[in-house]
Amino acid sequence: MMNNFMRLGVGVLGSAFALLMYGAPITTFKRVIEKRSTESFSGLPYTIALFNCLLYTFYGSPLISNGWDNIVVMVVNAIGLLLECCFVCIYLLFAPPKPKRKMTGMVACALVVFVTIVIASFCGVHDHKQKKVLVGTAGIVATVILYASPLSVIKSVIQTNSVEFMPSFYFSLFAFLGSVLWMVYGALSRDIVIMTPNFVGVPLGLAQMVLYCFYRNKNSLRVEDAKLVDRGPPLEPTKEKCEENSEEDNGNCQSYEEDIEMQLKI
């Protein structure tokens, strides 16, 4: 009885962080809508999240799980599925032609794989336990890829010293906290399908936060340096001001014009 109570409590907390993780890209897509462009944002994390939500909504349903044992898993991923559908649609709406084709291909592949798994679980596998293993294995792979997907832009982050187009810090934070809770939930439920991918997700989420914090600080320094460069040296009095000055300042006027010529050459 106590184990079931603890499992439910951890599941509710895990669900809350999972929803925060799925909702974290809202700020990113607010920017996409305002600028009417996806810029250099990758669509991979949202495609993987969509696929992951599809699988775990199916896995948590009575069709695969034992009755309503995993209703918490089903509900949170069903809500996540709605969010990810919105994000994918917005991405496809504002993406340039090449990224749009790439995103369409990834979403199509994810849907084909999911439909194949559903058909196989009903037509190819008749034992309930084997169905759970089939869908659960696919879910493990999808979840590990989901937690690792923000690292797909690691090369760009290192080259540019910028985390501008990396998924937000909150995505990584909520993924890390959610992984810890879902790992505990899986252990209490003795469900290896839930426990395993989240066991892998803990170090991956931590690595993303470290990467984000490290390069965010570098980016802040780079921006400050750029601002200092943009300001340039203190401006000399304008030519009009020089002409208004007395004859004693004529030398300053000539110096002003020479400085302008030198800056143009530079």
Side-chain angles (χ1 to χ4, degrees):
M1 183 69 180
M2 180 60 68
N3 182 66
N4 290 336
F5 181 76
M6 287 179 61
R7 185 170 69 91
L8 179 61
V10 172
V12 170
L13 286 174
S15 299
F17 282 112
L19 289 175
L20 289 171
M21 180 188 73
Y22 289 137
I26 288 175
T27 54
T28 297
F29 282 93
K30 181 181 177 182
R31 170 176 168 171
V32 168
I33 293 171
E34 288 174 349
K35 294 194 173 185
R36 303 187 68 81
S37 171
T38 56
E39 301 177 271
S40 295
F41 288 109
S42 172
L44 179 62
Y46 314 111
T47 306
I48 298 300
L50 176 70
F51 182 56
N52 181 78
C53 288
L54 282 168
L55 284 172
Y56 274 98
T57 300
F58 185 46
Y59 179 83
S61 71
L63 296 171
I64 301 298
S65 294
N66 296 321
W68 296 102
D69 284 354
N70 286 320
I71 186 173
V72 175
V73 176
M74 185 185 74
V75 171
V76 70
N77 282 282
I79 296 172
L81 180 60
L82 292 175
L83 287 171
E84 297 306 326
C85 285
C86 293
F87 296 151
V88 168
C89 289
I90 294 171
Y91 191 97
L92 291 173
L93 183 62
F94 293 108
K98 187 175 179 180
K100 183 180 291 187
R101 288 194 297 271
K102 184 178 179 181
M103 183 70 164
T104 303
M106 289 191 297
V107 172
C109 287
L111 292 176
V112 168
V113 172
F114 174 69
V115 171
T116 302
I117 292 171
V118 172
I119 293 173
S121 65
F122 284 115
C123 300
V125 180
H126 300 289
D127 182 69
H128 189 81
K129 187 175 181 180
Q130 290 180 348
K131 287 181 182 181
K132 193 172 181 179
V133 170
L134 173 65
V135 179
T137 302
I140 290 174
V141 174
T143 304
V144 171
I145 296 174
L146 171 66
Y147 288 142
S149 60
L151 296 176
S152 63
V153 295
I154 188 170
K155 182 179 179 181
S156 174
V157 170
I158 293 172
Q159 286 178 342
T160 61
N161 282 341
S162 172
V163 294
E164 183 180 7
F165 297 111
M166 187 176 176
S168 70
F169 174 79
Y170 294 107
F171 178 91
S172 301
L173 174 63
F174 296 141
F176 171 74
L177 295 174
S179 294
V180 173
L181 290 167
W182 283 114
M183 181 176 66
V184 174
Y185 178 88
L188 292 173
S189 303
R190 297 180 181 179
D191 193 330
I192 194 171
V193 171
I194 296 175
M195 184 175 66
T196 302
N198 289 288
F199 180 78
V200 178
V202 170
L204 287 174
L206 186 61
Q208 290 163 33
M209 288 191 292
V210 171
L211 180 72
Y212 192 97
C213 291
F214 182 76
Y215 282 99
R216 183 184 183 187
N217 291 336
K218 279 196 169 187
N219 187 51
S220 298
L221 291 173
R222 188 165 60 87
V223 169
E224 288 301 318
D225 290 342
K227 287 179 179 178
L228 289 174
V229 171
D230 289 342
R231 289 191 192 113
L235 292 175
E236 295 289 336
T238 63
K239 187 174 181 180
E240 288 77 12
K241 290 290 183 183
C242 283
E243 290 175 351
E244 292 175 5
N245 290 339
S246 63
E247 292 180 356
E248 295 178 359
D249 294 325
N250 284 342
N252 290 337
C253 292
Q254 292 176 356
S255 175
Y256 165 77
E257 293 175 353
E258 290 173 359
D259 288 343
I260 292 297
E261 292 177 359
M262 289 295 294
Q263 290 181 18
L264 288 173
K265 288 179 180 178
I266 293 172

